[in-house]
Amino acid sequence: MTKIHSSEITPKHVFLNRRKFMVGAGLTMGAVALAACGPGMSSSSASGASAAPVAVKPADIGLETLPDALSHDQPYASAETDELGDTLNSYEQITNHNNYYEFTTDKQEVNPLSASFEPYPWTVEVGGLVNNPKTYGLEDLISSFTQEERIYRLRCVEAWSMVIPWVGFQLGDLLKEVDPKSEAKYVKFTSVLRPEQMPGQNARWIDWPYVEGLRIDEAMNPLAIMATGLYGELLPNPDGAPLRLVVPWKYGFKSAKAIVKIELTDEMPVSTWMTQAPNEYGFYANVNPQVDHPRWSQATERRIGEFGRRDTLMFNGYADEVASLYDGMDLRANY
Ligand SMILES: Nc1nc2c(c(=O)[nH]1)N[C@H]1C(S)=C(S)[C@@H](COP(=O)(O)O)O[C@H]1N2
Ligand SMILES: [Mo]
């Protein structure tokens, strides 16, 4: 018997109404918490209330239970630091300092502007040069592939960084299942186009939807994941709910949010930022302290929450895992 997927059978308005109800409930609680913050209470607790995660029940995404890695109802991480001893950024920092131009270019405004975005139900079309093209519901991806925590540094090309406890699955596991044809050399990722829910998409200075790409061997590297959550919960809207790419050795813009399509191709995809500023952003975009951006140095970075700057690490500190992907390549020419 074939399994029926909730993303196929649940009428959209049911999901939307349920979600609206939850968002409404969340807002009320937030308002109560804020009202309780009289004079003398710290502003950080007030803004913490606005960052409170919206509790999503497994049923809302069509599952009876969520895998352990995603089932926490309070922000949860298995460690306080990454493997280098760097402290994790807080849930509040990670969800209130965002680049997500579909909403706005103002990092602090992504959170409020994305609050009414509807990430469920969600499907991703995986096709192109593959033997088994398939459209996956989010619930398929969460239940079929191993969901695990990955604590990664995220280094934005703008020279700020964070340490984020993602939850997700290996992109390579998904690619193996669709079975790329031998001609497939690249993977193209397309983010959602939904101007009615994403006010920044009404500004036409970017040719929406957002597009990114990887070489197939980069996509198969075990560090490359599709994130479905962070801090032990389903992915919050400002970070690209319900599904985003995370490629920790590359500048943050490669890690495209709200992915709806993954295509295997024989030609190098032209990414949004390659079109937007070809002399500034190349296809590879590997974190490299020796190759400056035309308008600023990439030698150092500011960790969100820290004063002063710290040195930027080659491949963002993941050289042991990924440097061999680029053996013999001129990383200055292939920026
Ligand atoms: N679709 C989409 N994906 C995107 C972006 C975007 O504007 N749209 N911004 C990128 C940039 S520049 C960075 S630094 C990271 C930021 O991820 P975060 O907000 O979860 O920290 O998302 C990347 N993915
Ligand atoms: Mo970025």
Side-chain angles (χ1 to χ4, degrees):
M1 211 184 86
T2 50
K3 198 164 136 240
I4 299 174
H5 302 279
S6 71
S7 58
E8 292 159 21
I9 57 168
T10 307
K12 192 159 190 183
H13 70 271
V14 174
F15 269 95
L16 295 184
N17 287 339
R18 202 186 280 155
R19 178 78 179 166
K20 268 197 201 102
F21 169 75
M22 291 191 305
V23 170
L27 284 176
T28 311
M29 275 156 48
V32 170
L34 278 174
C37 294
M41 292 199 66
S42 77
S43 63
S44 69
S45 62
S47 54
S50 73
V54 175
V56 178
K57 297 187 192 70
D60 295 317
I61 59 165
L63 290 171
E64 276 173 29
T65 53
L66 285 170
D68 285 348
L70 283 169
S71 64
H72 300 264
D73 52 15
Q74 291 294 320
Y76 166 87
S78 67
E80 284 170 18
T81 70
D82 66 9
E83 81 287 7
L84 303 179
D86 292 358
T87 305
L88 303 193
N89 283 92
S90 67
Y91 186 92
E92 191 192 349
Q93 288 168 330
I94 296 167
T95 56
N96 284 281
H97 180 99
N98 301 96
N99 273 335
Y100 204 167
Y101 283 11
E102 281 86 341
F103 292 99
T104 170
T105 55
D106 181 336
K107 298 186 212 318
Q108 277 73 47
E109 287 301 308
V110 171
N111 183 312
L113 283 171
S114 65
S116 53
F117 180 77
E118 302 283 357
Y120 316 115
W122 194 266
T123 56
V124 188
E125 195 186 323
V126 189
L129 298 172
V130 300
N131 293 313
N132 304 317
K134 183 172 169 187
T135 297
Y136 291 84
L138 178 70
E139 67 283 1
D140 300 323
L141 297 173
I142 289 179
S143 57
S144 327
F145 299 106
T146 307
Q147 308 294 312
E148 54 179 306
E149 180 191 66
R150 294 283 180 100
I151 298 174
Y152 284 157
R153 293 169 292 285
L154 180 133
R155 174 37 164 102
C156 176
V157 73
E158 298 162 338
W160 55 266
S161 62
M162 292 203 250
V163 183
I164 304 182
W166 302 108
V167 177
F169 61 91
Q170 287 185 197
L171 173 58
D173 290 349
L174 172 61
L175 296 181
K176 275 176 221 148
E177 195 173 280
V178 295
D179 189 15
K181 295 183 175 171
S182 56
E183 317 87 273
K185 297 283 181 289
Y186 296 93
V187 189
K188 178 180 170 184
F189 301 85
T190 306
S191 296
V192 73
L193 181 65
R194 211 187 271 182
E196 66 286 6
Q197 287 184 11
M198 301 178 121
Q201 285 187 337
N202 297 303
R204 304 301 313 173
W205 63 283
I206 283 180
D207 187 17
W208 306 106
Y210 194 95
V211 169
E212 259 307 335
L214 294 173
R215 229 172 47 195
I216 196 164
D217 58 336
E218 296 179 314
M220 297 296 293
N221 185 279
L223 288 188
I225 60 166
M226 297 304 297
T228 51
L230 70 79
Y231 264 117
E233 302 173 349
L234 290 163
L235 208 56
N237 284 351
D239 297 277
L243 183 73
R244 60 95 58 91
L245 176 64
V246 178
V247 202
W249 69 96
K250 294 179 178 280
Y251 291 119
F253 66 83
K254 296 295 290 183
S255 294
K257 298 179 173 183
I259 300 289
V260 292
K261 200 195 249 191
I262 301 176
E263 281 170 277
L264 284 285
T265 68
D266 54 1
E267 271 180 40
M268 183 183 280
V270 180
S271 68
T272 294
W273 289 110
M274 289 165 76
T275 315
Q276 202 63 30
N279 60 326
E280 299 187 14
Y281 308 106
F283 176 78
Y284 283 94
N286 292 312
V287 175
N288 188 338
Q290 286 146 32
V291 177
D292 289 337
H293 186 278
R295 292 183 281 130
W296 58 83
S297 164
Q298 295 291 23
T300 64
E301 66 198 56
R302 187 175 71 89
R303 181 66 47 84
I304 298 305
E306 285 181 5
F307 298 100
R309 301 182 75 84
R310 47 166 74 217
D311 288 342
T312 288
L313 305 175
M314 187 64 201
F315 296 113
N316 203 22
Y318 302 100
D320 289 350
E321 290 88 346
V322 302
S324 63
L325 291 168
Y326 311 102
D327 278 347
M329 262 178 70
D330 178 352
L331 296 177
R332 207 164 273 281
N334 295 284
Y335 59 89

